[in-house]
Amino acid sequence: MIRMSIDRGQWPQLSRLLDAALDLPPAERDRWIEALDSSFDALKPDLRDLLSRASSVETRDFLNSLPAVSSGSSDSVTDAADHAGRCIGPYRLTRELGAGGMGSVWLAERTDDSVRRPVALKLPHVMSARIGLAERMVRERDILATLVHPNIARLYDAGISPEGRPYLALEYVEGVRIDRYCREQALDVQGRLRLFLQVAAAVAYAHAKLVIHRDLKPANILVTRDGEVRLLDFGVAKLLDDGRAEMTRLTELSGRALTPDYASPEQILGQSLTIASDIYSLGVVLYELLAQTRPYRLSRESRGALEEAILEVEPVRMSGVAPPGMQKALRGDLDTIVLKALRKQPEDRYATVNAFSDDVIRHLRRLPVLARPQSTWYRVSRLIARNRVTAMVVTVASIAVLVGAIVALWQARAAVAEGRRAEEVREFIATIFQEANLDSDQSRPASVLELLKQASNRVDALEAEPAVRVELLTLIGSGLLSLDDTDALENVARRAVDEGTQSLGSDHPLTVRARILMVWAHMYRGRTQEAGGEIDALMQVMTRDESAFGEELIELWRIRADQAIDAHRYEDAEAAAMQALTRAEASFGAQHPESLRALGVLSTAYRRQDKHAEALRTAERGRDLALKLFPDGQHAMAIFARAEYGRALAEAGDVAGGVEQLSLATRDAEKLYGPTARTVGFHLQNITQYHLQLGSIQAAVVSSTRAFDIMKEHAEPDTFNYAAALNAKTQALLAARRGEEALPATAQIQEAAKRLFGDTHPNAVGARASHALALGLSGRVDEGRALIDAVLADARRTQKPSARPFYIAGDLERLAGRHARALARAEEALALLNGGDGTAAELARVQMQVGLARVETGAAEAASMLDQALSGFRESQSEMTPAQADALVGRARLHLDAGRADEALPLLIEADQFWRDFDDQSRWAGEAALWLGRCLRTLGRGPEAADVLDRARRTLSHSPILNDRELVTRI
């Protein structure tokens, strides 16, 4: 039999020898042992003993451990006799539920007048004369008879058939294995813990009856349709004697009945068992339910490697191997609880199952658990968790978000925060949050930004090593990055970089992380060139030793993609984003937050290249992953993923759907960060362009004005981000034809674009065209025409010019009264748009312009072009716009020219009402009123016509356009 004196320290070497021997044919094993070096002499007896019991060593389930007992023909009962319909005692077999080496289990029912109910009938394969198995059956009957608990499958009956075959009639449980049930029901962490507590209650009850199970595993734990647990198979259980279960002659005959994956170290060594053995097995079961894998990573797949791991290797923390969506919930308390249950020494585990389950319950109630020391840091983290649903919900939730971000970052980088430095970092952060005094009755606890600023100031006075100070500043800066405070972020990041460079060196890992934080500050300030230079420098440092900068290198590839997008190098952005995604999925898996971040940047890169199908597919994948990782949506990554999905949706053609998604993302960002956060500004800026596409001009003015007011607090005036926000506002003002308001901004944007991109870059060309339009709308038509002529000359030299400068040129020529030139410019724009570029609303706008120019010049097909424009506006825009009102006026004029004033009237009433609601002081309001008045006069409605024409005269007399003032004299 297996020796009971195997030394724990010898086991790893013995296990490797056993693996090697088992790979040999049985006939060669003795010769191989004799040939071993003399240094192995002390292990040879144990090795021979183990090899002599190879079948027991390789067993993986009790039912497969048939003892080696010889049997005569007179004692045998064959499986062939078992079939549906056969009777065993008072039970008729219905169908086989399962079978193993020891016996089978059948669904059966009684044939006599007793209670008719289905039972699970347990039958051995051999006669009762085989003493070992009969003893087991009797023992299981005796044990189960003492256990009456709602979570333990009950014993209904036991006996011996007329053929001498023992049987047990057990409660038939219609259920599935607990691990499968958790998967199929997609239970969250709390749901799995509550299910586990039912198992623990059953085991604790058995222990109170002095019974240990000794084979706890998911296969022996079923869950019913109603979510009730049933614990099965006490066939290997042992009644305790003074708390210990010794080996018996039965165990020697049958082999050690255990399932190695769930066996405790003392079971592996064949030592006496206590309730601590069941606690260990429960720990493995809980580990597997939560992490969805088992505790040990094996270097080789063998029984020996598994037993070596159980005896010698510390389990991996669940939070490091669980699916990404569960890692955060497992980090901390649950990791600690389960690792305590899995301690190698029985005395180091929980003293009882009740103590184990009590800690699980304390965790569910957000109370400190007993498995870990009561440090300041730990007490503060529990204090914050308990207060998330108090009246201080907004502040506390913000603090909780920050704590989560900082703790997660710190834990991810714990490998570089060793020893005393690690403890200094933890206690410093704990002290800061403890000062928030969340359990007090103060009406207003410290806000998260106040806490961070306090922390930042205290670092200066902290007597600590430079490494501690740099790490603390970087952690605080990461919190500020998450909370969108650009000023504070840059201040802290610069201090961290300066101290790290001076004290540790610019290439030290802590300094590198601080430099990455500074790159983010450059990006948010709009300093694209500074960001690009630092990214290149950091890439050189990190690629020299990629193993030291795994997560940071992925982040840097993402930043490089963002920076390339800002610099309009979209192919470079796509390549960098693909690098980030590939590396993230290889390092963390496809269901990890790092992969989610990379998906968002990749979708943006696709969008900017007009790869709309790829962008939407990628963004949708990111949106779905974000909802899986952050179901409540209140997380920075979930907000970003939803916003990116909205942009991809809009640019793929569903503009209204895109605005809806972006609006939801903006709402969530306001809740998480506050109404003036940088992220809110970015989302509002993006919403503006889609409002313009939908024709929601007034909404675009509101959203763009608010976006700019936010962004100017975060970005410097000479940066791209500042100019982009200002440009969104000017585009809305130009769409509303408020040229004088837009003019100062367009001048500023024109200079910024020239400085950032150069004269011929599409952004610079577009900025100059906008300024030309603003000049014209402000009454400086000739200046605008001169500028737009220069812009068109540059645009024509490009390989793929935008249509926008051409139709802006058409607007300016029309304002100047040069309608033939207006028609030529508009037709050039139409030709470019007919090539496939531009939105449906943009195409309708140019069709309107061509139609109006044809009306003015008397060219053919004006009506057809205006009808196409009106149809395009109605299909693509949810509200009437100035351009659509222009088309209505133009179409009405054609009706008037044809003598159909009655058909012109409703079109002119609609256009006039639009302008009265939209901007009754606009010169276009005056123009619409002018044509409505003429129509009314034609229809013989003199008094009405006089009132409307008088309104037109007053409006046009204040127009900055010279031709309008001349027009007034002809009314």
Side-chain angles (χ1 to χ4, degrees):
M1 69 177 181
I2 297 177
R3 293 182 171 213
M4 297 299 104
S5 59
I6 296 176
D7 183 80
R8 185 182 295 267
Q10 293 178 327
W11 180 256
Q13 198 171 32
L14 183 61
S15 175
R16 286 189 288 273
L17 292 173
L18 181 61
D19 282 347
L22 289 171
D23 288 338
L24 299 172
E28 297 179 17
R29 291 173 182 172
D30 283 340
R31 192 181 314 115
W32 178 81
I33 292 173
E34 290 302 322
L36 287 173
D37 187 81
S38 59
S39 61
F40 297 109
D41 285 350
L43 299 178
K44 289 179 181 179
D46 288 326
L47 186 57
R48 288 193 180 93
D49 191 38
L50 289 168
L51 286 170
S52 71
R53 302 186 55 77
S55 61
S56 294
V57 171
E58 292 298 288
T59 187
R60 297 188 68 83
D61 188 278
F62 170 71
L63 290 177
N64 293 322
S65 58
L66 183 64
V69 179
S70 61
S71 61
S73 60
S74 62
D75 294 333
S76 298
V77 175
T78 66
D79 294 346
D82 292 339
H83 56 79
R86 183 182 178 220
C87 289
I88 303 292
Y91 296 95
R92 179 183 293 109
L93 305 183
T94 302
R95 60 182 171 88
E96 191 175 45
L97 298 174
M102 172 189 165
S104 59
V105 180
W106 283 76
L107 179 66
E109 60 182 8
R110 288 189 72 100
T111 59
D112 55 20
D113 294 329
S114 299
V115 178
R116 290 187 177 274
R117 62 186 165 201
V119 298
L121 203 68
K122 197 168 188 177
L123 303 171
H125 288 317
V126 295
M127 293 177 61
S128 59
R130 295 186 60 173
I131 302 301
L133 292 176
E135 182 183 342
R136 278 198 177 176
M137 298 290 286
V138 171
R139 186 177 68 194
E140 184 171 4
R141 178 197 65 196
D142 293 343
I143 289 171
L144 283 170
T146 70
L147 302 179
V148 181
H149 188 275
N151 297 120
I152 296 176
R154 295 191 58 186
L155 171 69
Y156 292 140
D157 190 16
I160 298 176
S161 74
E163 295 89 356
R165 189 172 188 179
Y167 63 81
L168 294 176
L170 305 170
E171 176 186 359
Y172 171 58
V173 180
E174 281 195 87
V176 297
R177 289 169 48 127
I178 189 169
D179 52 348
R180 179 180 161 193
Y181 180 86
C182 290
R183 287 196 302 274
E184 290 178 348
Q185 300 297 317
L187 294 186
D188 60 11
V189 170
Q190 290 191 347
R192 292 168 190 246
L193 290 175
R194 292 190 176 98
L195 207 60
F196 172 78
L197 288 174
Q198 294 186 50
V199 182
V203 177
Y205 172 83
H207 289 178
K209 296 288 186 177
L210 302 181
V211 175
I212 55 175
H213 192 286
R214 302 204 299 186
D215 196 23
L216 292 166
K217 58 185 177 183
N220 283 336
I221 306 168
L222 300 186
V223 185
T224 69
R225 192 178 309 164
D226 297 329
E228 297 293 326
V229 163
R230 294 291 189 279
L231 188 56
L232 310 179
D233 204 351
F234 275 84
V236 298
K238 181 70 173 69
L239 292 171
L240 294 171
D241 181 12
D242 295 330
R244 307 186 73 81
E246 303 295 339
M247 296 286 286
T248 66
R249 175 62 179 162
L250 171 62
T251 313
E252 294 173 18
L253 285 170
S254 307
R256 288 173 293 151
L258 55 86
T259 305
D261 285 308
Y262 304 90
S264 63
E266 56 270 27
Q267 282 178 289
I268 297 295
L269 292 172
Q271 296 172 348
S272 298
L273 305 183
T274 67
I275 61 176
S277 300
D278 275 356
I279 289 170
Y280 182 94
S281 298
L282 282 174
V284 179
V285 170
L286 182 56
Y287 189 109
E288 186 171 359
L289 292 184
L290 297 178
Q292 300 176 42
T293 186
R294 291 178 187 151
Y296 301 105
R297 312 276 76 78
L298 304 182
S299 58
R300 58 192 187 283
E301 290 295 329
S302 71
R303 166 72 178 262
L306 175 61
E307 293 186 349
E308 179 182 340
I310 292 171
L311 292 173
E312 300 297 333
V313 178
E314 290 301 321
V316 180
R317 286 183 175 271
M318 296 186 298
S319 59
V321 295
M326 301 183 79
Q327 289 177 354
K328 182 179 178 181
L330 303 184
R331 192 176 294 124
D333 283 353
L334 290 176
D335 270 338
T336 306
I337 290 169
V338 173
L339 289 180
K340 182 176 177 68
L342 295 179
R343 298 274 173 83
K344 302 298 182 189
Q345 298 298 330
E347 60 272 18
D348 293 335
R349 299 172 205 149
Y350 286 101
T352 64
V353 175
N354 283 331
F356 187 0
S357 58
D358 282 349
D359 251 2
V360 172
I361 293 169
R362 290 178 69 82
H363 168 77
L364 287 171
R365 293 177 179 172
R366 302 186 186 279
L367 296 170
V369 302
L370 304 178
R372 59 190 300 166
Q374 299 290 291
S375 67
T376 302
W377 170 261
Y378 178 61
R379 289 194 302 273
V380 170
S381 67
R382 291 296 83 198
L383 175 150
I384 290 172
R386 287 201 305 278
N387 281 276
R388 281 184 181 170
V389 293
T390 65
M392 300 180 292
V393 64
V394 175
T395 300
V396 175
S398 299
I399 294 173
V401 168
L402 179 65
V403 170
I406 292 181
V407 172
L409 181 63
W410 183 85
Q411 287 179 332
R413 296 170 176 171
V416 299
E418 301 172 2
R420 188 169 59 123
R421 188 169 105 237
E423 188 58 31
E424 285 186 75
V425 171
R426 290 166 68 98
E427 290 304 315
F428 177 87
I429 297 171
T431 301
I432 292 299
F433 287 101
Q434 192 173 36
E435 290 178 355
N437 199 15
L438 299 180
D439 276 337
S440 75
D441 293 328
Q442 297 180 61
S443 59
R444 180 183 176 276
S447 74
V448 65
L449 286 175
E450 288 169 346
L451 290 175
L452 284 171
K453 289 171 182 176
Q454 290 173 19
S456 171
N457 294 334
R458 287 185 56 175
V459 172
D460 291 334
L462 184 67
E463 293 183 4
E465 296 178 358
V468 174
R469 293 159 59 84
V470 172
E471 185 162 21
L472 282 171
L473 286 169
T474 305
L475 290 172
I476 292 166
S478 298
L480 293 166
L481 175 65
S482 299
L483 292 167
D484 274 9
D485 191 314
T486 310
D487 289 338
L489 162 65
E490 182 169 8
N491 175 273
V492 170
R494 197 174 298 282
R495 287 160 57 195
V497 170
D498 290 346
E499 179 146 3
T501 302
Q502 293 170 13
S503 304
L504 306 173
S506 61
D507 293 353
H508 188 280
L510 290 175
T511 309
V512 166
R513 292 185 186 103
R515 291 170 66 186
I516 291 174
L517 202 62
M518 193 65 214
V519 171
W520 281 118
H522 286 319
M523 293 287 289
Y524 288 135
R525 289 296 191 198
R527 297 190 291 258
T528 308
Q529 290 184 338
E530 292 93 328
E534 184 67 344
I535 289 169
D536 291 340
L538 284 167
M539 196 67 77
Q540 292 181 6
V541 173
M542 296 167 82
T543 52
R544 287 200 295 265
D545 184 10
E546 292 193 13
S547 62
F549 298 103
E551 188 173 347
E552 290 80 6
L553 191 53
I554 294 169
E555 182 180 8
L556 196 62
W557 278 111
R558 281 194 292 106
I559 301 175
R560 170 165 275 183
D562 275 329
Q563 189 266 340
I565 288 169
D566 284 351
H568 298 266
R569 293 183 285 103
Y570 302 129
E571 290 183 1
D572 292 345
E574 180 184 340
M578 284 299 300
Q579 276 278 357
L581 180 60
T582 302
R583 289 169 178 267
E585 291 184 338
S587 300
F588 304 109
Q591 305 294 306
H592 191 274
E594 280 298 328
S595 300
L596 172 59
R597 291 185 178 99
L599 284 169
V601 181
L602 179 60
S603 173
T604 304
Y606 282 143
R607 281 193 299 106
R608 296 300 177 87
Q609 298 176 81
D610 295 330
K611 296 180 178 180
H612 299 307
E614 294 94 330
L616 183 57
R617 185 167 54 248
T618 306
E620 191 167 15
R621 181 180 160 196
R623 188 272 316 264
D624 292 345
L625 177 56
L627 292 177
K628 183 176 182 180
L629 295 177
F630 314 105
D632 64 356
Q634 294 297 302
H635 190 281
M637 281 186 282
I639 293 169
F640 174 77
R642 168 168 267 165
E644 178 55 34
Y645 174 64
R647 289 190 289 268
L649 201 62
E651 293 180 29
D654 185 0
V655 183
V659 169
E660 180 182 6
Q661 292 296 318
L662 276 164
S663 297
L664 290 171
T666 305
R667 177 205 64 189
D668 289 341
E670 288 177 326
K671 289 180 181 177
L672 189 61
Y673 302 124
T676 61
R678 179 185 59 241
T679 298
V680 175
F682 275 130
H683 293 332
L684 289 169
Q685 188 175 318
N686 286 315
I687 286 174
T688 296
Q689 72 178 97
Y690 303 126
H691 277 324
L692 291 175
Q693 286 187 38
L694 289 172
S696 303
I697 307 298
Q698 301 288 35
V701 172
V702 172
S703 62
S704 64
T705 300
R706 187 177 165 211
F708 177 66
D709 289 344
I710 291 171
M711 294 305 297
K712 69 183 181 183
E713 298 300 320
H714 294 276
E716 295 171 356
D718 60 346
T719 64
F720 172 79
N721 285 357
Y722 184 97
L726 185 56
N727 185 59
K729 180 178 178 179
T730 60
Q731 294 310 311
L733 290 172
L734 291 173
R737 300 184 180 176
R738 289 155 61 175
E740 290 189 31
E741 290 180 61
L743 188 58
T746 58
Q748 187 177 351
I749 294 167
Q750 178 183 236
E751 292 303 315
K754 179 179 178 180
R755 183 178 64 256
L756 290 167
F757 305 110
D759 277 336
T760 59
H761 190 278
N763 278 8
V765 171
R768 290 161 66 202
S770 292
H771 187 52
L773 180 58
L775 286 168
L777 295 176
S778 301
R780 296 158 63 179
V781 177
D782 289 341
E783 289 181 63
R785 291 176 60 231
L787 177 56
I788 203 66
D789 284 345
V791 170
L792 292 182
D794 289 339
R796 290 189 178 100
R797 285 194 289 268
T798 63
Q799 185 175 1
K800 189 179 180 182
S802 166
R804 187 166 178 270
F806 292 89
Y807 63 71
I808 284 177
D811 287 336
L812 293 169
E813 295 297 350
R814 180 180 172 227
L815 290 173
R818 299 173 179 269
H819 299 298
R821 286 174 61 90
L823 178 59
R825 299 293 84 78
E827 288 181 336
E828 281 187 84
L830 185 61
L832 291 169
L833 290 176
N834 284 335
D837 293 335
T839 65
E842 192 175 28
L843 176 61
R845 183 198 191 286
V846 174
Q847 289 170 335
M848 173 275 296
Q849 192 177 54
V850 172
L852 282 181
R854 288 178 179 178
V855 170
E856 297 286 359
T857 59
E861 298 185 3
S864 172
M865 191 61 65
L866 289 170
D867 287 342
Q868 289 181 55
L870 287 168
S871 176
F873 284 130
R874 293 188 185 105
E875 289 177 4
S876 64
Q877 297 186 326
S878 57
E879 299 179 35
M880 184 179 288
T881 63
Q884 187 175 348
D886 285 348
L888 289 171
V889 171
R891 192 68 182 85
R893 287 177 61 186
L894 290 174
H895 284 310
L896 285 172
D897 290 345
R900 297 190 297 270
D902 55 335
E903 293 182 45
L905 183 60
L907 302 181
L908 290 168
I909 290 174
E910 187 177 2
D912 178 66
Q913 189 60 54
F914 165 77
W915 278 110
R916 294 179 73 180
D917 294 337
F918 187 84
D919 183 359
D920 61 359
Q921 298 303 308
S922 166
R923 57 89 48 202
W924 284 272
E927 186 177 53
L930 170 64
W931 287 106
L932 175 60
R934 289 179 176 178
C935 181
L936 289 168
R937 189 167 57 194
T938 301
L939 291 169
R941 296 161 64 172
E944 292 177 72
D947 288 342
V948 174
L949 289 171
D950 185 56
R951 175 158 51 84
R953 184 182 298 105
R954 289 196 305 271
T955 303
L956 290 172
S957 64
H958 293 95
S959 170
I961 311 299
L962 182 60
N963 286 347
D964 291 340
R965 281 173 277 170
E966 293 177 356
L967 185 63
V968 171
T969 62
R970 298 199 297 270
I971 294 177

